[in-house]
Amino acid sequence: MVIYKGKDYKDVSRKAANIMSAQIIMNPRSVLGLATGSTPVGMYQQLIEWYKKGDLDFSKITTVNLDEYKGLSPDNDQSYRYFMDQNLLNHINIEKSHTYVPNGMDEDSERACKEYDKIISMVGGIDMQLLGIGGNGHIGFNEPGVAFEKETHCVNLTESTIKANARFFKSIDDVPKQAYTMGIKNIMSAKKILLIATGSSKAKAIYDSLYGPITPNVPASILQLHPDVTIVADEDALQLL
Ligand code: F6R
C-alpha cells in the first residue's frame, strides 16, 4: 500500500489524476472503475484539462461505475449516470457505449445486479478502481456489516448515508432509499485500487481502514488485503495516522 499526502483538495486531485493518467497512457485499453461523490470531481476536471491539451486519449478506454441509485433514470440530474456524463464522460473522447453504470431503472434487483456482474466480466475485469470513502468506512454503497464476498447487489441505504447524500436532493424525502452497488468482491478483483479522501470527516475512516482490524464493520478495511492499493489524501484525512 502506498500513501501520498496532498497539501489540499487541488493537490490531491492533481496527484490522483496523475496516477489515473499513467494507467491510461500505459494501457490505452484500460477498464477504469469510477466513483461519484464530491471527492473525485477535481480529479475528473484535471483529466478533462489534460485531455483538452492533447495529453490523454480515452478513445479505447472502458469505464464501469461503482454504483447507481435504484429508481433514478439516466436523465435524472441526481442519477450517477447523469453525474458521470456531466463531470467527465461528456467532455472526453470516450465511446459512450463503452461506459457502464448499473441500470437503476431495472426494478428487478437480481436481474440488474447479475447483468452488471456479467458486464464487468465481459469487459475483462477492472484494471484500476477509483474509490472514495464514506465517513463510516463505506466503499461504493457497501455499508458497515456487508459481507465481503458479495458481488453486485441491491442495498438499503443507511440513515447516515441518506443524510450525507441529502445535500444533492431538494429534500431528504427525495433521496432514494436503495441502490445497486458493486460488492466488495468486485472491488477486490480490480488489479489496482486508487482511493482518494479529503477532509477531517474522513480521518477516522482512513485510520480504521488502514490500521484497524479487517472487519465488515469497516468495509474499506478489506483493502489491507489487496496487493496494489494507492491512497491519495490530504493532511486532514491523514491526521490520525
Ligand atoms: C460513490 C460512492 C461512495 C462515495 C463516498 C464518498 O460512487 O460509491 O462510496 O465514494 O460516499 O463520497 P464523497 O466523495 O462525496 O465524500
Side-chain angles (χ1 to χ4, degrees), residues 180-192:
Y180 296 142
T181 183
M182 277 188 207
I184 298 290
K185 189 172 172 191
N186 303 105
I187 294 170
M188 288 296 281
S189 302
K191 292 195 187 95
K192 297 177 195 163

Side-chain angles (χ1 to χ4, degrees), residues 35-40 66-67 80 132-134 138-141 167 202:
T36 59
S38 28
T39 318
L66 279 169
D67 41 19
Y80 284 177
I133 184 168
H138 74 231
I139 45 179
F141 267 124
R167 67 192 191 276
K202 304 294 170 70

Side-chain angles (χ1 to χ4, degrees), residues 58-59 61-64 74 81-101:
F58 290 85
S59 60
I61 293 289
T62 298
T63 64
V64 283
R81 158 57 76 182
Y82 188 91
F83 174 101
M84 286 312 303
D85 287 351
Q86 296 301 312
N87 285 286
L88 180 69
L89 304 172
N90 283 352
H91 309 286
I92 55 177
N93 65 332
I94 198 162
E95 285 281 341
K96 267 295 178 67
S97 61
H98 296 169
T99 69
Y100 299 94
V101 176

Side-chain angles (χ1 to χ4, degrees), residues 12-13 15-17 19-20 31-37 39-44 47 64-67 83-84 88 126-133 139-140 182 187 190 192-197 223 230 232:
V12 166
S13 300
K15 282 187 165 62
I19 293 165
M20 189 66 87
V31 176
L32 305 177
L34 298 180
T36 59
T39 318
V41 171
M43 186 195 116
Y44 292 150
L47 290 175
V64 283
N65 259 77
L66 279 169
D67 41 19
F83 174 101
M84 286 312 303
L88 180 69
I126 299 164
D127 293 302
M128 178 175 275
Q129 176 66 54
L130 176 70
L131 295 176
I133 184 168
I139 45 179
M182 277 188 207
I187 294 170
K192 297 177 195 163
I193 304 238
L194 171 60
L195 185 146
I196 51 177
L223 299 177
T230 304
V232 186

Side-chain angles (χ1 to χ4, degrees), residues 7-235:
K7 284 195 293 288
D8 50 26
Y9 180 74
K10 198 161 191 256
D11 194 31
V12 166
S13 300
R14 199 179 160 83
K15 282 187 165 62
N18 260 309
I19 293 165
M20 189 66 87
S21 295
Q23 174 68 36
I24 294 165
I25 292 164
M26 298 296 283
N27 177 6
R29 294 180 178 274
S30 291
V31 176
L32 305 177
L34 298 180
T36 59
S38 28
T39 318
V41 171
M43 186 195 116
Y44 292 150
Q45 278 167 0
Q46 184 64 81
L47 290 175
I48 293 167
E49 199 183 311
W50 287 335
Y51 161 71
K52 286 190 172 152
K53 274 193 185 155
D55 290 341
L56 287 176
D57 175 18
F58 290 85
S59 60
K60 300 198 167 54
I61 293 289
T62 298
T63 64
V64 283
N65 259 77
L66 279 169
D67 41 19
E68 178 62 284
Y69 288 117
K70 183 175 176 182
L72 296 194
S73 66
D75 58 0
N76 183 311
D77 64 4
Q78 297 307 328
S79 74
Y80 284 177
R81 158 57 76 182
Y82 188 91
F83 174 101
M84 286 312 303
D85 287 351
Q86 296 301 312
N87 285 286
L88 180 69
L89 304 172
N90 283 352
H91 309 286
I92 55 177
N93 65 332
I94 198 162
E95 285 281 341
K96 267 295 178 67
S97 61
H98 296 169
T99 69
Y100 299 94
V101 176
N103 180 5
M105 290 310 282
D106 192 342
E107 282 181 9
D108 182 335
S109 302
E110 216 182 298
R111 182 177 57 199
C113 296
K114 272 206 186 119
E115 185 63 29
Y116 206 58
D117 285 335
K118 261 197 228 151
I119 288 171
I120 296 170
S121 65
M122 178 193 81
V123 299
I126 299 164
D127 293 302
M128 178 175 275
Q129 176 66 54
L130 176 70
L131 295 176
I133 184 168
N136 60 4
H138 74 231
I139 45 179
F141 267 124
N142 295 282
E143 301 285 3
V146 72
F148 283 151
E149 57 271 18
K150 284 219 167 154
E151 298 190 274
T152 307
H153 59 287
C154 179
V155 291
N156 296 321
L157 306 186
T158 62
E159 210 52 47
S160 74
T161 298
I162 292 171
K163 269 190 202 141
N165 287 339
R167 67 192 191 276
F168 301 116
F169 291 83
K170 276 198 203 86
S171 92
I172 195 152
D173 296 332
D174 293 335
V175 185
K177 308 294 180 286
Q178 287 189 311
Y180 296 142
T181 183
M182 277 188 207
I184 298 290
K185 189 172 172 191
N186 303 105
I187 294 170
M188 288 296 281
S189 302
K191 292 195 187 95
K192 297 177 195 163
I193 304 238
L194 171 60
L195 185 146
I196 51 177
T198 55
S200 51
S201 66
K202 304 294 170 70
K204 189 166 183 326
I206 289 285
Y207 179 83
D208 289 346
S209 301
L210 303 191
Y211 291 102
I214 298 170
T215 162
N217 293 334
V218 183
S221 64
I222 191 73
L223 299 177
Q224 292 177 38
L225 298 181
H226 192 284
D228 192 337
V229 178
T230 304
I231 297 187
V232 186
D234 67 357
E235 288 177 13

